[in-house]
Amino acid sequence: MIDHYRNLFNQQQWFESGLCWTVVQPLDEEITVDDLLWRLNGGRDPEERIMAYPREEAGEEFLPVLFVYEGEGAWGFLEFSHGFATPDHVLAELSKKSRVWMTTWHFNGGYTILYAADGKIRARMRNFVFAEHIIEEGDPSILAEFRAMLDRLDREDYRGKLSAAFAFIEASTGMGIEAEWLDVEEAPVIVLDNWE
C-alpha cells in the first residue's frame, strides 16, 4: 500500500507541497455528507462551486478548498489548496458519533497525523517525517502500527513517510485516494468560509 502512494506522489508531485486529508467514518447511519460539511464549515453550509481547473484555481483562494470522496462507510475530504489543517475544535465536532483520521502538511512542515473519536482528539503525532523530532500526544497504542510503518522505512525516505500516512489511514478506514481522481476539470469543490 505504501508503494501505491509512492506512485501517487510520483504522479502528483504537488502533493508534497501541502494538503490535508481527513477521513470520517460515521457511526450513525443518519449522519450525511451534508452534516459533515456543515461541521467542517463551523456550523454553516459551505460554498459549493465548479472549478474549471481546480488545482490551479484553488491556489488563488485564501480559504480551504476541498475535494469530497465517498467510500464504503466513510467520507474523505482533501484540502489541496494550501495544506490548511482542520482545526482541533472542528475535528472534535466531526468526531461526534464518528471516527476521524487526518494527516496534513504544508510548505513550512507541520507533518501531522491524528485520530479523533467521541468528540475528542485521542492521538496525534507531529513531525512524523523526522524521527528525532517526533512529538506524540494521547494514547500511543492508536498510532502504534503507523510508528511501525515509519520504523521500517529509511530515515530520510520522506516521500515514503508521507505515503505511509495515507497507507495507514486507508488500512484503518478502507478509504484511499486514486491518482485519476485528482486530474479533473470542471469539477465540484467545496470552499470552507467559516471553519475557524
Side-chain angles (χ1 to χ4, degrees), residues 27 44 50 71 105 117 121 150 176 190 192:
L27 301 176
R44 284 198 338 217
I50 300 292
W105 54 83
I121 294 171
L150 295 177
I190 301 294
L192 301 181

Side-chain angles (χ1 to χ4, degrees), residues 25-32 35-36 39 73 75 96-99:
Q25 292 179 296
L27 301 176
D28 182 337
E29 291 179 5
E30 294 184 10
I31 296 174
T32 67
D35 295 329
L36 297 176
R39 293 180 196 184
W75 292 93
K96 291 178 179 174
K97 296 186 180 178
S98 299
R99 293 187 199 102

Side-chain angles (χ1 to χ4, degrees), residues 33 101 133 164 175 180-181 188:
V33 69
W101 296 94
H133 297 295
M175 183 81 213
E180 60 270 15
W181 296 357

Side-chain angles (χ1 to χ4, degrees), residues 88 121-126 135-140 142-143:
D88 284 0
I121 294 171
R122 302 291 179 176
R124 178 187 340 243
M125 184 185 296
R126 299 178 195 268
I135 300 168
E136 291 193 64
E137 302 164 10
D139 181 348
I142 293 170
L143 298 175

Side-chain angles (χ1 to χ4, degrees), residues 129-150:
V129 298
F130 305 112
E132 64 279 6
H133 297 295
I134 289 176
I135 300 168
E136 291 193 64
E137 302 164 10
D139 181 348
S141 68
I142 293 170
L143 298 175
E145 183 54 37
F146 179 60
R147 200 175 312 103
M149 292 169 94
L150 295 177

Side-chain angles (χ1 to χ4, degrees), residues 176-191:
I177 293 184
E178 300 296 330
E180 60 270 15
W181 296 357
L182 304 167
D183 293 321
V184 292
E185 297 178 4
E186 299 296 334
V189 299
I190 301 294
V191 181

Side-chain angles (χ1 to χ4, degrees), residues 1-19:
M1 204 180 289
I2 290 176
D3 288 342
H4 164 76
Y5 286 106
R6 277 187 198 280
N7 291 334
L8 178 70
F9 277 90
N10 288 337
Q11 294 171 31
Q12 308 288 339
Q13 294 181 8
W14 58 274
F15 253 39
E16 290 178 318
S17 300
L19 59 76

